[in-house]
């Protein structure tokens, strides 16, 4: 329903308020989502060596769930996610484990608040011991209440 809003703003009928032809709030969210989608696509096109190996493992393994790669969840892009198992797998280089930064802890808290479990795996482990990584992912997929081990 169109109608006049405060200060001459027009309501568009979709829950957004337009002032002088510009949509406030919704347009900024749309631009941020579009930028995040572009970023995720670029990450899918240009994976790190560990991400390429990890994706190959997840695609071929019979885990009973489907994983997506470089998927946006809220304001973050995660390496791999199974929506059905509510499991996020993050492949990180050594620098991530020497001192997890504020941003990483904040991202993990955000994901956990949305019901996801976050498994951090060191890149080296994906290359040197992929069976350990797959066993842990399989355990977490099979037991939805299980807490992820620290694979760093």
């Amino acid at each position: 329903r169109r109608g006049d809003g405060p200060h001459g703003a027009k309501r568009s009928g979709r829950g957004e308020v337009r002032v002088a032809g510009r949509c406030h709030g919704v347009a900024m969210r749309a631009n941020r989502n579009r930028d995040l989608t572009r970023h995720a696509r670029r990450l899918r096109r240009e994976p790190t060596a560990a991400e390429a190996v990890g994706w190959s493992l997840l695609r071929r393994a019979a885990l009973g769930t489907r994983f997506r790669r470089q998927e946006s969840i809220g304001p973050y892009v995660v390496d791999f996610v199974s929506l059905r198992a509510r499991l996020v797998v993050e492949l990180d280089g050594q620098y991530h484990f020497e001192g997890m930064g504020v941003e990483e802890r904040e991202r993990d808290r955000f994901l956990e608040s949305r019901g996801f479990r976050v498994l951090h795996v060191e890149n080296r482990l994906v290359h040197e011991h992929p069976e350990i990584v797959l066993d842990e992912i399989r355990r977490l997929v099979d037991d939805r209440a299980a807490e992820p081990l620290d694979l760093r």
Side-chain angles (χ1 to χ4, degrees):
R1 175 184 111 196
R2 289 194 181 266
D4 289 332
H7 310 291
K10 300 284 185 186
R11 295 211 175 270
S12 69
R14 293 186 304 260
E16 48 201 51
V17 177
R18 292 186 178 274
V19 179
R22 297 191 61 145
C23 176
H24 292 272
V26 175
M28 288 194 60
R29 254 190 318 252
N31 286 338
R32 186 179 68 223
N33 289 343
R34 194 172 19 252
D35 291 343
L36 196 59
T37 300
R38 282 188 197 127
H39 180 62
R41 284 181 185 149
R42 185 183 59 74
L43 291 172
R44 282 192 292 270
R45 278 192 315 270
E46 303 168 7
T48 65
E51 289 168 352
V53 170
W55 181 239
S56 176
L57 290 171
L58 289 173
R59 276 193 340 219
R60 289 183 296 140
L63 297 170
T65 188
R66 179 177 167 257
F67 277 85
R68 297 177 182 189
R69 64 187 173 117
Q70 302 301 342
E71 186 73 16
S72 61
I73 301 174
Y76 303 101
V77 176
V78 299
D79 290 336
F80 307 107
V81 61
S82 167
L83 297 176
R84 193 172 119 221
R86 307 298 287 172
L87 176 62
V88 169
V89 179
E90 283 290 313
L91 303 181
D92 300 315
Q94 182 62 36
Y95 68 92
H96 277 280
F97 300 116
E98 290 172 353
M100 188 180 257
V102 173
E103 295 85 11
E104 286 87 1
R105 285 193 298 272
E106 192 175 293
R107 180 197 59 213
D108 286 359
R109 278 195 299 273
F110 173 85
L111 293 167
E112 289 165 357
S113 75
R114 278 19 180 216
F116 289 96
R117 294 169 295 159
V118 181
L119 172 64
H120 289 275
V121 180
E122 187 177 343
N123 288 344
R124 180 185 53 79
L125 197 57
V126 172
H127 292 289
E128 296 174 7
H129 301 288
E131 68 284 352
I132 293 172
V133 175
L134 278 178
D135 286 345
E136 176 61 4
I137 292 170
R138 190 172 285 112
R139 183 184 74 84
L140 293 169
V141 167
D142 291 344
D143 183 1
R144 305 254 170 111
E147 288 297 316
L149 294 176
D150 189 354
L151 297 181
R152 329 179 230 198

